[in-house]
């Protein structure tokens, strides 16, 4: 296993990435899909308003992109810190 | 060939496939039985997770729940976001680290991380409550699907017989193959269920919006009038004309919708039968990727479901109000009974009436079926009239009936008066000649089950929907049964009763535990406790309030100790169940609830369904405070946490 300081840097990089992803996760689903829907009524996505579409379809696409982005970035971070399998 | 024979052939072929897979994928070791030998490729595990996760409720009920919700379809988005967003939490916060830990069960991790047999036992109890309540619904789903689709004039499969057949099938592949057999059967079941769900959806989307993809149809234009007006706007205008709440209207209680969505998300991430699927992949990086693939396969159904829901609702409304296709609903007479009986395209109405999922009653005797939402004054007067009639009918033979008869007459007068008051648009019901809503029952499930017939699709599609519903219920049941049996054989028998048990003996106990779990699940399916529907709330609430926070703290903190974890789990468990019991009755015994379960009575408007989020906060808070006040965990536990945080070395840690 890598030495202690490198493993701390690895964990810190992971936490930063998780925080970024979870902020996007929260803003897209709870933010745009629920809390901000009344304020964004005017923005249209096809025949729906933005909040309705985010709640019923859009946030699911965002979740998908987030997981694959996280998996891809983590593979790079694993390799940079020499902890890949 | 009649529909019954076709259903029988398609369902029979899928069952033969599952049994064939079971024989091919027999388990020879405990590692294969609990974790499929940790050799499942990520895409395949993603598919199996999709089938594992999508239950009878997702397949049969969810679209209908969204379509027919009295508060409108938008508020039900909580299910769509909640049951998918949990996978982000799984991929980022739990799955890779638990895979690195490299053992077989969720309680085992909790026991090792919190260096305590007590913590492991509390986790086993939570796991069993969560999984057993969940499995009852799946077994019912199997029985009900059999009774609906595999019944003809001279041959009937009852719900009970269907349950025995389903139980026997799960027995064959789960006992023989354990996680290995279940995994590969789930892959096949996923393929069956996704085809069954999307084919009818594509056809209904083509006919209503001209769009091949239901996801685009949802935001597309309404094709029958040239696509000028959007499908959702058309739906809103038709349902509001008929007195219903607009489909896209805002949530009445945004705070509760927020908490409900969160509760479903963290509940999903805390469900043991989902978590253990990530123990089956070869590497840590595969666990991350596999969560992504799982969501791809789940999203294929979940992004289609709101399209199915809204389009099926529009289809139902325009079927009963033919005028609504091009104009307003009330611009032409409602659908006539003669038309229902003579038009072969409407044959599904009588078919599903037989199953009681649909009920009609021509109250005003005009030979037409008027479907609308009764104004409150009419609905209330109607209820009072029904109650008065019931009291009269139930009166003892020798009782004085005169006052009861007088009450019925008075209630009838009040009801007739209400018809001159209640309005649909700018006309009263009396002016329209209506005497109440005549489509008296539309079950949620019909929105998916009758979809192929409503869209006049060929018989093989209907047969496929039957096979798909069975696949959804059976695959989830098998996953749950494995979570239960591994908790018993691995956590209870090997973990505390007899730690020196040989691998061969443990494998035998795993099979015995699986057999026992199937017998109990089948029994509970045959004799469901009256509270079967409510306990699903408990399952999600408890997973959110107990398993998820404890796992997360175990990974992301080295300071949370065994005292904190145990008291945190117990606090989450007690807080959440007590809040649910206050509204649904102590241990769900009807009539023992303290408050009536209506929004006005909920603390801060939080419904019992949404309380899991608060329960999770309670768990985190108690665990933190207690840990700070007590001794830090020993050094070897700190090292364990540090080792699960790095991927390297995952292969070596397995199978002991």
């Amino acid at each position: 296993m890598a030495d202690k300081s490198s493993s701390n840097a690895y964990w810190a990089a992971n936490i930063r990435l998780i925080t970024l992803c979870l902020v996007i996760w929260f803003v897209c689903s709870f933010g745009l899909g629920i809390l901000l829907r009344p304020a964004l009524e005017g923005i249209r996505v096809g025949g729906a308003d933005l909040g309705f579409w985010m709640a019923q379809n859009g946030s699911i696409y965002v979740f998908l992109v987030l997981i694959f982005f996280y998996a891809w970035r983590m593979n790079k971070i694993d390799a940079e810190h020499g902890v890949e399998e | 060939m009649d529909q019954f024979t076709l259903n029988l052939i398609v369902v029979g072929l899928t069952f033969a496939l599952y049994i064939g897979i079971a024989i091919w994928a027999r388990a020879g070791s405990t590692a294969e039985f609990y974790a499929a030998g940790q050799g499942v490729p990520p895409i395949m595990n993603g598919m199996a997770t999709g089938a594992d996760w999508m239950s009878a409720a997702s397949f049969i009920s969810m679209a209908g729940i969204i379509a027919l919700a009295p508060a409108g379809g938008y508020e039900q988005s909580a299910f769509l976001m909640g049951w998918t967003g949990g996978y982000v939490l799984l991929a980022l916060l739990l799955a890779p680290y638990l895979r690195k830990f490299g053992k077989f069960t969720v309680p085992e991790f909790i026991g090792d991380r919190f260096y305590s047999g007590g913590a492991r036992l509390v986790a086993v109890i939570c796991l069993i409550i969560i999984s057993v309540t969940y499995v009852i619904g799946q077994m019912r789903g199997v029985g009900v699907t059999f009774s609906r689709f595999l019944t003809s004039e001279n041959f009937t499969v009852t719900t009970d017989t269907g349950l025995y057949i389903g139980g026997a099938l799960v027995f064959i592949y789960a006992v023989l193959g354990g996680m290995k057999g279940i995994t590969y059967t789930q892959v096949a079941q996923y393929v069956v269920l996704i085809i069954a769900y999307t084919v009818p959806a594509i056809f209904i989307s083509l006919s209503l919006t001209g769009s091949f993809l239901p996801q685009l149809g949802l935001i597309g234009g309404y094709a029958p009038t040239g696509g000028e007006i959007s499908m959702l706007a058309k739906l809103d205008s038709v349902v509001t004309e008929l007195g219903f709440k607009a489909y896209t209207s805002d949530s009445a209680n945004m705070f509760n919708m927020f908490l409900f969505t969160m509760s479903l998300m963290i509940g999903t991430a805390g469900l043991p039968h989902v978590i253990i699927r990530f123990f089956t992949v070869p590497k840590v990086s595969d666990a991350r990727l596999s969560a992504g693939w799982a969501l791809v396969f789940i999203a294929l159904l979940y992004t289609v479901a709101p399209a199915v829901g809204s389009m099926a609702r529009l289809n139902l409304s325009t079927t009963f109000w033919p005028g609504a296709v091009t104009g307003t609903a009330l611009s032409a007479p409602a659908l006539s009974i003669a038309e229902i009986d003579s038009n072969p395209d409407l044959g599904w109405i009588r078919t599903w009436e037989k199953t009681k999922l649909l009920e009609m009653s021509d109250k005003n005797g005009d030979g037409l079926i008027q479907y609308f939402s009764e104004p409150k004054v009419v609905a209330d007067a109607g209820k009072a009239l029904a109650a008065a009639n019931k009291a009269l009918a139930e009166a003892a033979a020798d009782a004085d009936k005169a006052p009861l008869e007088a009450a019925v007459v008075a209630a009838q007068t009040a009801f007739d008066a209400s018809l001159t008051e209640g309005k649909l648009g700018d006309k009263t019901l009396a002016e329209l000649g209506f005497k109440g809503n005549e489509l008296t029952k539309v079950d949620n499930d019909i929105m998916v089950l009758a979809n192929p017939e409503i869209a006049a699709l060929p018989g093989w599609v209907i047969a496929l929907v039957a096979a798909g519903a069975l696949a959804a219920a059976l695959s989830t049941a098998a996953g749950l049964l494995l979570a239960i049996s591994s908790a018993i054989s691995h956590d209870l028998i090997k973990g505390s009763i007899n730690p020196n048990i040989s691998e061969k003996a443990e494998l035998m106990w795993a099979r015995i535990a699986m057999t026992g779990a199937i017998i109990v699940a089948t029994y509970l399916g045959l004799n469901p406790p009256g509270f079967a529907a409510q306990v699903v709330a408990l399952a999600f609430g408890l997973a959110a309030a107990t398993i998820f926070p404890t796992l997360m703290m175990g990974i992301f903190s080295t300071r949370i100790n065994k005292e904190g974890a145990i008291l945190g789990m117990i606090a989450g468990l007690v807080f959440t169940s007590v809040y649910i019991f206050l509204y649904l009755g102590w241990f769900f015994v009807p009539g023992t609830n303290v408050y009536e379960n209506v929004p006005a009575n909920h603390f801060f408007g939080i419904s019992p369904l949404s309380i899991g989020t608060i329960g999770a906060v309670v768990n985190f808070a108690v665990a933190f405070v207690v840990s700070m006040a007590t001794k830090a965990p020993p050094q070897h536990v700190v090292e364990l946490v540090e080792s699960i945080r790095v991927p390297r070395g995952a292969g070596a840690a397995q199978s002991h």
Side-chain angles (χ1 to χ4, degrees):
Chain A
M1 197 212 271
D3 63 73
K4 189 100 187 167
S5 66
S6 144
S7 127
N8 281 345
Y10 168 75
W11 189 244
N14 182 17
I15 297 289
R16 272 197 304 278
L17 185 60
I18 290 176
T19 311
L20 171 75
C21 291
L22 288 184
V23 167
I24 299 172
W25 164 82
F26 185 87
V27 168
C28 289
S29 51
F30 294 95
L32 298 177
I34 300 178
L35 302 175
L36 298 174
R37 183 185 179 215
L40 301 171
E41 201 84 50
I43 308 175
R44 310 296 296 177
V45 179
D49 61 274
L50 179 69
F52 181 87
W53 183 75
M54 282 308 288
Q56 299 228 319
N57 258 193
S59 56
I60 300 177
Y61 303 132
V62 175
F63 298 154
L64 270 175
V65 173
L66 273 179
I67 298 181
F68 282 106
F69 170 74
Y70 177 77
W72 170 72
R73 281 292 306 162
M74 276 312 283
N75 281 346
K76 284 182 73 169
I77 294 176
D78 287 353
E80 279 163 21
H81 291 82
V83 295
E84 78 277 21
E85 292 149 283
Chain B
M1 196 186 307
D2 65 354
Q3 188 61 47
F4 169 75
T5 318
L6 204 55
N7 289 354
L8 208 60
I9 291 173
V10 172
V11 170
L13 282 176
T14 59
F15 279 22
L17 174 68
Y18 306 152
I19 293 173
I21 292 171
I23 293 169
W24 167 71
R26 286 185 310 275
S29 66
T30 50
E32 285 189 347
F33 195 90
Y34 294 136
Q38 290 163 324
V40 181
I43 296 190
M44 222 175 237
N45 186 51
M47 230 181 247
T49 310
D52 195 65
W53 168 240
M54 290 187 284
S55 57
S58 292
F59 188 93
I60 304 174
S61 308
M62 192 174 62
I65 291 174
I66 299 171
L68 298 170
Y74 164 73
E75 195 173 61
Q76 308 304 316
S77 311
F79 289 108
L80 298 166
M81 288 187 284
W83 282 346
T84 53
Y87 281 84
V88 177
L89 301 178
L90 263 173
L92 273 54
L93 304 177
L94 302 182
Y97 314 106
L98 294 177
R99 172 60 194 87
K100 173 66 196 296
F101 176 65
K103 293 191 187 172
F104 298 139
T105 67
V106 170
E108 189 174 20
F109 173 77
I110 291 177
D112 282 10
R113 165 60 185 84
F114 297 106
Y115 48 100
S116 154
R120 190 171 183 175
L121 194 66
V122 175
V124 168
I125 293 168
C126 295
L127 181 150
I128 289 180
I129 299 176
I130 294 166
S131 304
V132 168
T133 53
Y134 223 99
V135 85
I136 300 171
Q138 306 310 315
M139 298 309 278
R140 290 298 296 168
V142 173
V144 170
T145 310
F146 265 109
S147 69
R148 281 177 195 161
F149 285 98
L150 297 181
T151 295
S152 74
E153 315 275 287
N154 39 23
F155 182 81
T156 305
V157 177
T158 60
T159 305
D160 288 1
T161 315
L163 253 160
Y164 288 123
I165 301 173
L169 184 70
V170 172
F171 176 85
I172 294 172
Y173 67 78
V175 172
L176 213 57
M179 185 58 121
K180 194 174 165 198
I182 288 171
T183 300
Y184 292 104
T185 335
Q186 281 174 336
V187 171
Q189 284 161 335
Y190 176 80
V191 174
V192 172
L193 82 86
I194 201 66
I195 295 174
Y197 202 83
T198 46
V199 168
I202 289 169
F203 280 95
I204 191 171
S205 176
L206 274 173
S207 80
L208 282 188
T209 66
S211 168
F212 181 75
L213 286 176
Q215 291 90 338
L216 294 180
L218 177 68
I219 53 171
Y222 181 60
T225 49
E228 287 283 302
I229 178 172
S230 76
M231 193 275 294
L232 286 170
K234 176 73 189 177
L235 176 57
D236 275 349
S237 86
V238 173
V239 297
T240 48
E241 189 194 348
L242 297 173
F244 297 98
K245 210 166 168 198
Y247 191 79
T248 60
S249 54
D250 259 324
S251 168
N253 184 344
M254 189 188 274
F255 176 59
N256 185 57
M257 183 181 172
F258 180 97
L259 290 182
F260 184 38
T261 309
M262 185 66 91
S263 192
L264 292 175
M265 278 197 198
I266 55 185
T268 298
L271 285 176
H273 73 284
V274 176
I275 296 174
I276 56 172
R277 288 241 43 98
F278 294 96
F279 297 167
T280 65
V281 295
K283 293 191 298 183
V284 173
S285 55
D286 292 337
R288 298 177 193 134
L289 202 58
S290 192
W293 283 114
L295 191 55
V296 168
F297 297 120
I298 292 166
L300 274 177
L301 190 146
Y302 273 61
T303 54
V304 168
V308 170
S310 51
M311 291 176 199
R313 176 78 185 273
L314 183 52
N315 232 343
L316 182 79
S317 309
T318 56
T319 302
F320 281 88
W321 292 102
V325 176
T326 50
T328 59
L330 299 175
S331 65
L335 183 66
S336 70
I337 295 172
E339 175 84 8
I340 293 173
D341 289 327
S342 62
N343 186 344
D345 283 349
L346 297 175
W348 58 271
I349 296 178
R350 291 294 187 201
T351 312
W352 291 95
E353 203 184 7
K354 279 186 210 132
T355 62
K356 304 257 183 267
L357 293 186
L358 204 70
E359 284 171 19
M360 299 181 293
S361 134
D362 185 11
K363 292 175 184 167
N364 58 358
D366 62 356
L368 309 174
I369 298 296
Q370 281 102 10
Y371 162 56
F372 61 96
S373 173
E374 293 172 359
K376 192 171 181 314
V377 48
V378 177
D380 290 347
K383 272 185 211 141
L385 178 58
N389 272 317
K390 190 164 171 247
L392 179 61
E394 284 172 357
D398 56 347
D400 179 14
K401 293 210 175 123
L404 293 171
E405 280 160 1
V408 169
V409 172
Q412 185 66 52
T413 313
F415 180 74
D416 291 342
S418 77
L419 293 177
T420 62
E421 245 181 88
K423 284 183 171 182
L424 214 51
D426 51 8
K427 283 193 182 148
T428 65
L429 295 192
E431 284 165 341
L432 289 161
F434 297 173
K435 292 207 164 153
N437 170 32
E438 299 179 346
L439 187 60
T440 47
K441 182 177 172 193
V442 190
D443 190 278
N444 287 338
D445 295 357
I446 203 165
M447 290 291 159
V448 167
L449 294 177
N451 224 347
E453 288 155 279
I454 296 175
L457 298 183
W460 63 268
V461 181
I462 298 167
L464 204 57
V465 170
L470 286 170
L474 287 170
S475 56
T476 306
L480 288 160
L481 289 164
L482 187 87
I484 297 168
S485 64
S486 62
I488 292 170
S489 62
H490 196 64
D491 292 311
L492 286 185
I493 294 178
K494 187 181 164 76
S496 52
I497 298 172
N498 180 9
N500 299 321
I501 192 168
S502 75
E503 176 172 332
K504 215 172 149 202
E506 191 190 341
L507 184 60
M508 190 188 73
W509 273 108
R511 290 198 157 110
I512 294 171
M514 177 66 88
T515 311
I518 292 172
I519 292 169
V520 171
T522 309
Y523 174 80
L524 288 174
L526 292 169
N527 309 288
F531 51 78
Q534 283 106 313
V535 284
V536 175
L538 186 70
F540 270 93
L542 289 188
T546 58
I547 307 242
F548 177 79
T550 307
L551 290 176
M552 202 186 145
M553 288 184 290
I555 295 161
F556 286 85
S557 163
T558 51
R559 185 60 184 83
I560 302 295
N561 59 17
K562 81 171 172 200
E563 291 84 359
I566 294 175
L567 288 176
M569 269 194 285
I570 292 175
L573 177 73
V574 171
F575 174 86
T576 306
S577 11
V578 166
Y579 191 84
I580 294 174
F581 291 156
L582 284 178
Y583 294 98
L584 301 177
W586 295 99
F587 301 93
F588 301 107
V589 177
T592 61
N593 52 323
V594 179
Y595 306 107
E596 196 193 345
N597 186 20
V598 292
N601 286 345
H602 296 154
F603 284 100
F604 302 105
I606 303 170
S607 88
L609 288 168
S610 319
I611 197 64
T613 308
I614 310 290
V617 173
V618 169
N619 184 341
F620 277 122
V622 169
F624 180 78
V625 170
V626 171
S627 296
M628 287 307 149
T630 46
K631 224 163 66 160
Q635 188 54 34
H636 77 270
V637 169
V638 176
E639 278 161 17
L640 168 73
V641 176
E642 277 164 2
S643 91
I644 61 168
R645 287 177 178 182
V646 287
R648 178 159 285 181
Q654 59 182 256
S655 73
H656 53 75

